Amino acid sequence: MFINNSGVDFTMIVDIQKLSVDYSGIKVLDDISFGIAEGDFLGIIGPNGAGKSTLFHCMLGLRTQYDGTIKFFGQDIRDSRKYLSQVGFVPQKPVVDRNFPATIREVLSMSQNSSDSKKVDEALQKVWMHELADRRIGDLSVGQQQRVFIAKALVNSPKILVLDEPVTGIDQYNQDLFFQILGELNTKEKISIIWASHDLDAVERLASKVACLNKTLFFHGISKEFFSDDEMLKKYSETSMQMHMHHH
Amino acid sequence: MTFEAVSYESIPHALISGIAISLLCSVVGLFLVLRKFSLFGDALAHSAFGGVAFGLFIGIYPLWIACAVAILSALGLSKIRQKFDISGDAIVAILLSTGLGAGVILVSLTEDFEFHDIEEFLFGSAIVDTQNVVTILALAGAILTILFFTYKKILYSTFSEEQAKASGIPVEKMSYLLITMAGVTVVISMQLVGVLLISALFVLPNVSAMLYARSFKQTVILSMLFAVSATVSGIIMSYQFEIAQAGCIVLVAAAIFVGSLVAKGSGLVKTAGILAKRA
Ligand SMILES: Nc1ncnc2c1ncn2[C@@H]1O[C@H](COP(=O)(O)OP(=O)(O)OP(=O)(O)O)[C@@H](O)[C@H]1O
Ligand SMILES: [Mg+2]
């Protein structure tokens, strides 16, 4: 039930071994190892400063100074960046310059190699933003922008979606819609999802696996096991006291 | 000293090269403006001035030395910027003052130096030489072609460095490419408007366009339109009233900007969104 150190397994599409990161001498990730199998829906939980975003930055090649190895589709990401075309990423805080002169449609097609406007429309439809497609990105609310970025992550039909707290700033109704979309992407389109969240309830409802992170990985396994293990939950809430997070 | 007005014979040359330069400056400048690097053109021009002075000093035609100096120093500084996390505006200041400082020293060291040699680089001059026009057209064409094939990637890296990188775009390479193209653009344009006024062509048409445009495409088209009209009417004004060409171009560009502000402020034009919904 604890950290899975089973070594190379070819059903693993992501394989992280002994990942450690420090910022000027201070360790923020310490010896993290886990894998993601095809079709997994992995919720990554951990308090502020736990290292979730840092982990994602390493996985996506945004941070190259780390110890250990990260493999996508069996290949070390230090050797090739090709895997990125199969990965959609929604960053924690997308910064949008209010004056940036681009429509939502243009923002989505920036990440496309071809100018396939049908895919752009489809992706926008998935987040209910197609009616606003010709609005300027800076004119949207933060929550609407977040939805655009989710659509942007979907536009190239990725095999893996990496979401760093994607629903911050989205209202309850749209959060539920969004969770529904994630579920469908995972079950129907077989997209593997890696999702960092502070929302334990949502993680319990949606994720099939859970990784609990706070500098070290102190749980990685089946979601049900985590949420039915009171010891684990207690340990989790102790480490995240400062976050005022309670599991009901 | 004599600021050059356009003469009758040089009007075709001036117009052709002026239009090419305006198109180039408005597109390259747009990316710089969007990167909050509006004064980068100025910084490049000042370090190019250092290069011009160096060229005069060693007696080689200064423009290509200027080009090399501007690009190399800008590339070097942007490397340093990345490594030590220095802000963009500080880099601009460093490049600008160092280039000018070096230039001034070199000028003072150059024997039998005449102000006229450097004046055309400072304030621009009428372009009369056919060979020169051909070079300008060729370089402008080359850069616009490269931009046509890479603008999506450059735009994406401008929009969000993080997201662009995470989708596999070589963000650093794109930024070096942009700097190099900006360097060449500056050196070509120096002939038209000079070191001191180059920012006007990079910035004014774009800021005016961004007041109206809703989409990136609209911004590019409007900005090109503004830049070309400023240059063409500036050149004609210069000929008509026998006044300095560079000043005319810049003032018309500024007038377009002020006009845009007024038109927008008074609600005359709401947004260009009405004009082209799906541009
Ligand atoms: N650029 C940086 N320089 C120095 N320290 C950093 C940097 N980025 C992050 N850190 C540190 O690394 C640790 C992990 O940060 P990270 O952003 O990965 O946490 P997180 O789990 O994503 O937190 P949150 O829930 O708030 O998003 C924190 O202690 C933070 O202070
Ligand atoms: Mg984070």
Side-chain angles (χ1 to χ4, degrees):
Chain A
M1 165 174 115
F2 281 89
I3 305 164
N4 174 10
N5 268 325
S6 57
V8 188
D9 179 350
F10 53 82
T11 59
M12 290 293 167
I13 50 176
V14 182
D15 181 30
I16 296 173
Q17 292 295 331
K18 297 190 185 313
L19 176 69
S20 295
V21 174
D22 60 90
Y23 285 108
S24 33
I26 300 162
K27 266 218 155 52
V28 295
L29 287 179
D30 191 6
D31 201 21
I32 309 280
S33 303
F34 68 96
I36 295 159
E38 202 165 346
D40 269 359
F41 192 142
L42 174 68
I44 297 186
I45 52 177
N48 289 132
K52 303 180 294 294
S53 297
T54 304
L55 171 66
F56 286 171
H57 286 180
C58 293
M59 290 168 67
L60 295 159
L62 295 170
R63 187 178 173 81
T64 49
Q65 286 155 289
Y66 59 82
D67 294 324
T69 52
I70 302 174
K71 286 183 183 167
F72 270 74
F73 312 109
Q75 198 174 32
D76 195 322
I77 62 168
R78 290 189 204 269
D79 299 336
S80 163
R81 300 188 139 245
K82 286 220 179 76
Y83 75 102
L84 287 172
S85 64
Q86 313 260 31
V87 182
F89 173 49
V90 182
Q92 183 167 13
K93 262 210 193 91
V95 207
V96 176
D97 174 359
R98 284 259 157 212
N99 287 317
F100 202 91
T103 61
I104 292 157
R105 195 185 294 282
E106 283 175 328
V107 168
L108 258 74
S109 43
M110 276 179 206
S111 34
Q112 275 192 310
N113 296 322
S114 61
S115 42
D116 189 348
S117 63
K118 229 177 82 192
K119 283 200 154 178
V120 171
D121 287 326
E122 274 172 21
L124 283 172
Q125 242 148 29
K126 283 183 188 154
V127 294
W128 282 271
M129 288 296 289
H130 48 289
E131 276 168 16
L132 300 178
D134 293 309
R135 291 266 294 269
R136 213 161 125 145
I137 181 86
D139 294 343
L140 299 183
S141 75
V142 175
Q144 289 171 323
Q145 283 174 2
Q146 192 71 331
R147 276 152 68 188
V148 170
F149 287 118
I150 294 161
K152 190 166 164 58
L154 291 173
V155 76
N156 281 330
S157 328
K159 284 213 170 69
I160 305 174
L161 256 187
V162 178
L163 307 131
D164 199 351
E165 291 172 63
V167 290
T168 319
I170 296 188
D171 60 44
Q172 192 58 51
Y173 174 75
N174 283 299
Q175 274 196 27
D176 290 342
L177 280 182
F178 171 64
F179 292 149
Q180 190 190 324
I181 297 163
L182 279 192
E184 278 176 12
L185 289 172
N186 182 241
T187 51
K188 289 200 188 129
E189 300 187 30
K190 307 277 178 256
I191 296 176
S192 310
I193 293 174
I194 310 166
W195 169 39
S197 175
H198 290 139
D199 185 345
L200 285 195
D201 291 323
V203 171
E204 181 173 12
R205 253 187 302 139
L206 284 164
S208 57
K209 299 211 174 137
V210 169
C212 201
L213 190 71
N214 195 0
K215 196 163 93 175
T216 59
L217 188 67
F218 67 89
F219 178 90
H220 173 248
I222 310 289
S223 165
K224 281 203 190 78
E225 287 176 16
F226 178 79
F227 286 103
S228 58
D229 187 336
D230 288 335
E231 280 293 298
M232 258 306 150
L233 285 170
K234 207 168 137 239
K235 200 169 159 194
Y236 179 78
S237 58
E238 274 163 15
T239 64
S240 47
M241 277 307 255
Q242 76 271 37
M243 292 213 31
H244 318 290
M245 280 203 332
H246 302 288
H247 181 62
H248 310 288
Chain B
M1 69 195 193
T2 55
F3 291 109
E4 260 180 283
V6 179
S7 67
Y8 182 74
E9 306 77 58
S10 66
I11 283 187
H13 282 119
L15 282 179
I16 292 171
S17 45
I19 288 170
I21 286 170
S22 333
L23 292 176
L24 197 55
C25 284
S26 73
V27 192
V28 172
L30 177 57
F31 289 108
L32 297 179
V33 169
L34 291 179
R35 288 178 179 221
K36 308 263 181 287
F37 242 36
S38 292
L39 279 172
F40 193 65
D42 236 326
L44 279 170
H46 281 74
S47 64
F49 170 76
V52 165
F54 184 63
L56 289 174
F57 180 66
I58 60 174
I60 293 180
Y61 184 64
L63 222 43
W64 301 116
I65 297 208
C67 194
V69 168
I71 291 170
L72 289 178
S73 51
L75 287 176
L77 271 179
S78 76
K79 269 248 176 245
I80 293 172
R81 176 191 175 195
Q82 260 179 14
K83 199 150 185 185
F84 297 96
D85 211 5
I86 302 169
S87 74
D89 61 336
I91 290 298
V92 164
I94 294 170
L95 203 55
L96 199 147
S97 50
T98 314
L100 198 59
V104 169
I105 289 182
L106 287 167
V107 162
S108 68
L109 287 176
T110 306
E111 282 167 39
D112 50 79
F113 167 79
E114 289 188 36
F115 185 71
H116 186 77
D117 293 337
I118 213 125
E119 188 193 331
E120 63 176 297
F121 297 108
L122 287 178
F123 302 104
S125 63
I127 296 160
V128 282
D129 181 359
T130 307
Q131 181 61 45
N132 212 350
V133 176
V134 172
T135 312
I136 288 172
L137 287 181
L139 285 173
I143 293 178
L144 287 172
T145 311
I146 295 173
L147 269 172
F148 181 79
F149 288 110
T150 53
Y151 82 91
K152 256 193 190 177
K153 289 188 176 131
I154 300 180
L155 183 66
Y156 196 2
S157 346
T158 306
F159 180 70
S160 163
E161 203 179 314
E162 187 186 24
Q163 288 183 64
K165 234 183 191 172
S167 39
I169 287 173
V171 171
E172 276 100 32
K173 272 189 205 140
M174 288 301 131
S175 144
Y176 297 146
L177 179 66
L178 181 63
I179 289 172
T180 309
M181 291 191 291
V184 177
T185 303
V186 161
V187 171
I188 304 175
S189 327
M190 263 164 73
Q191 302 176 69
L192 187 73
V193 287
V195 169
L196 301 177
L197 296 174
I198 218 139
S199 273
L201 274 190
F202 272 63
V203 178
L204 281 170
N206 285 309
V207 180
S208 312
M210 278 165 68
L211 284 173
Y212 299 125
R214 273 208 159 168
S215 66
F216 180 71
K217 275 191 188 138
Q218 282 177 17
T219 312
V220 173
I221 292 167
L222 266 180
S223 162
M224 282 178 160
L225 221 83
F226 288 156
V228 170
S229 357
T231 306
V232 169
S233 39
I235 288 171
I236 292 169
M237 258 171 72
S238 162
Y239 166 69
Q240 278 285 327
F241 305 109
E242 290 183 36
I243 43 182
Q245 160 193 294
C248 290
I249 295 174
V250 172
L251 282 187
V252 178
I256 290 175
F257 173 62
V258 173
S260 308
L261 281 180
V262 172
K264 183 152 191 188
S266 67
L268 257 169
V269 187
K270 286 227 165 60
T271 48
I274 311 152
L275 296 174
K277 257 201 121 186
R278 282 204 50 176

